[in-house]
Amino acid sequence: MADQFDVIESGRRGRRRWVGLIVVAVLVVVPVAGLVVSREPEPPVQPGAVPEPIRSMRTLNNAPNALYPKARVKGDDETVRVVFPDGTRGEVRYPAELGLDALGVRPFRGVWIDGAYRRLAAPYGGEVEVSKGGQPIRNLTPDVQLWPRQPGSGAFGQVLLFAFGPWRLALYDRFDGLTFEQRMAVAERLRGRVTKDGYLVLSGGGPVRLAEPGDYAQGDPVGPQLWFGSVVNDMVAVIPLPGCAKGSRVPEMMERAGRPAKAACRDGVQVAATGEREFVERAVKGIRITLK
C-alpha cells in the first residue's frame, strides 16, 4: 500500500525524489544560516546614549491642567497671588498646612450663548480627561475641537475643548445641545489670554456673554472663580460674590456623596471646600482673600 501522505507522487518518481531532497536541504540550511547571522555582534552603544523606548510602551505626557503658584511664607500662613478669569487680581492667604499652592489652581466661569447657559471649566486631567484617548468629532476652528459625550456624564452632552496657550478649557454642552451656529459663535468669539504669571483671562462678545461676579445659574454662583485641587481629593473654590451671606450654601459642584463640604463668606468672597473633614474645617475658617 502506498504511503497515505504520498498523494502527489505519480509517474516519474525518481525526479520527484531528487526534488524532495533539494527542498529538505534548503529547509535545513536556512535555519542554520539564520543562527549564524543572529550570532553576529550587535553594533556598540555610544557612550551616554539612551536606548530608544519601545513605541508601544510610551505613556502620554499629560500633566495636570493647573497652575502651581509660588507661595510666600508669612509666619504660620502662606500667601499666593492670583488672577481670576475676568482679570481681577487678588491675594489668597491660608494656613500653611493646607498647601493650596501644591494642589494647583485652575479657572472656572459660566457663559451664556444666545441665552443658553453652559459652564466653562479647566479639566484637571487636561485634554486626556475629555478625549479618553479617542478622536474628536471635528475641528470647529484651529484651536477648538468638538468631542463626543463622556460616559457617565449625566445630563451633559458633547464637549467643546478650547486651547489657550498651555490651558485646555472645556465647555460642557447639554443633552438638547447647542445648534451648529451657536457652537461656531462660541468657538470664534470666546477668547483667552495668558497673563505673565500663567493665569487664564477670558473674554466674549456678540451672542457670547460671560458670567460676572454675583451671577447665578441653576441656583449656583457661576461668575469668575478659581479652583484649588480636584473634587476627587481635597478642593477649595474661591468665588467673588458681592453681598454673599455668611450662611451661604455649598455650590452643587462641591457636593459629593459621603464627603464633607462647607462654605463661608467674608468680604464679598465665598470660600467653599470639600475633602477630608479636617481640611474642610481649616479651609473655611482660615482662608482669607483680598481683591485688588
Side-chain angles (χ1 to χ4, degrees), residues 77 93-95 98 266 280-288:
D77 292 343
R93 184 170 180 170
Y94 57 91
L98 291 179
R266 295 184 189 91
V280 171
E281 293 296 332
R282 286 184 176 179
V284 295
K285 289 180 180 178
I287 293 178
R288 298 290 186 273

Side-chain angles (χ1 to χ4, degrees), residues 174-193:
R174 309 294 294 181
F175 263 142
D176 50 1
L178 299 170
T179 65
F180 177 76
E181 291 75 18
Q182 289 171 327
R183 287 176 173 176
M184 287 303 302
V186 71
E188 293 171 350
R189 300 301 294 267
L190 182 66
R191 292 288 180 265
R193 65 176 178 87

Side-chain angles (χ1 to χ4, degrees), residues 13-291:
R13 299 178 61 87
R15 181 179 178 183
R16 295 280 185 180
R17 286 174 179 168
W18 279 109
V19 172
L21 290 173
I22 293 172
V23 171
V24 171
V26 171
L27 292 174
V28 172
V29 171
V30 170
V32 172
L35 290 173
V36 172
V37 172
S38 67
R39 296 186 59 171
E40 291 182 359
E42 296 182 359
V45 177
Q46 297 298 323
V50 178
E52 178 72 12
I54 299 173
R55 186 174 301 274
S56 62
M57 295 296 290
R58 293 177 180 170
T59 57
L60 291 174
N61 181 18
N62 195 73
N65 191 32
L67 178 68
Y68 295 85
K70 185 177 180 179
R72 293 174 295 155
V73 179
K74 291 185 177 181
D76 294 331
D77 292 343
E78 291 181 344
T79 302
V80 293
R81 293 175 178 171
V82 297
V83 181
F84 289 85
D86 64 342
T88 299
R89 290 186 171 270
E91 193 172 79
V92 179
R93 184 170 180 170
Y94 57 91
E97 60 266 26
L98 291 179
L100 295 190
D101 57 327
L103 294 179
V105 59
R106 52 204 171 102
F108 170 91
R109 197 172 185 184
V111 60
W112 283 270
I113 304 102
D114 278 337
Y117 172 74
R118 297 294 185 268
R119 50 182 289 185
L120 284 165
Y124 187 78
E127 183 173 331
V128 75
E129 188 173 313
V130 173
S131 70
K132 300 292 190 289
Q135 296 294 324
I137 297 173
R138 67 174 63 186
N139 292 334
L140 298 181
T141 71
D143 297 320
V144 184
Q145 295 177 328
L146 178 64
W147 287 87
R149 175 180 179 270
Q150 296 177 303
S153 58
F156 292 108
Q158 295 172 339
V159 184
L160 275 71
L161 189 66
F162 297 76
F164 297 122
W167 288 100
R168 297 297 177 267
L169 202 67
L171 184 151
Y172 297 91
D173 206 349
R174 309 294 294 181
F175 263 142
D176 50 1
L178 299 170
T179 65
F180 177 76
E181 291 75 18
Q182 289 171 327
R183 287 176 173 176
M184 287 303 302
V186 71
E188 293 171 350
R189 300 301 294 267
L190 182 66
R191 292 288 180 265
R193 65 176 178 87
V194 181
T195 66
K196 291 182 179 180
D197 37 7
Y199 289 92
L200 180 62
V201 176
L202 301 170
S203 60
V208 178
R209 183 177 74 84
L210 292 166
E212 300 294 341
D215 285 343
Y216 279 79
Q218 301 165 355
D220 280 341
V222 295
Q225 307 173 22
L226 291 175
W227 296 353
F228 290 85
S230 169
V231 290
V232 298
N233 294 303
D234 294 329
M235 179 177 168
V236 169
V238 179
I239 310 169
L241 198 59
C244 65
K246 291 184 178 180
S248 59
R249 73 175 185 84
V250 177
E252 184 180 1
M253 66 180 181
M254 305 289 289
E255 294 179 342
R256 293 293 182 273
R259 289 170 57 86
K262 199 170 181 179
C265 277
R266 295 184 189 91
D267 302 322
V269 181
Q270 184 186 59
V271 175
T274 183
E276 296 292 332
R277 188 172 302 279
E278 184 178 357
F279 175 88
V280 171
E281 293 296 332
R282 286 184 176 179
V284 295
K285 289 180 180 178
I287 293 178
R288 298 290 186 273
I289 300 96
T290 303
L291 300 180

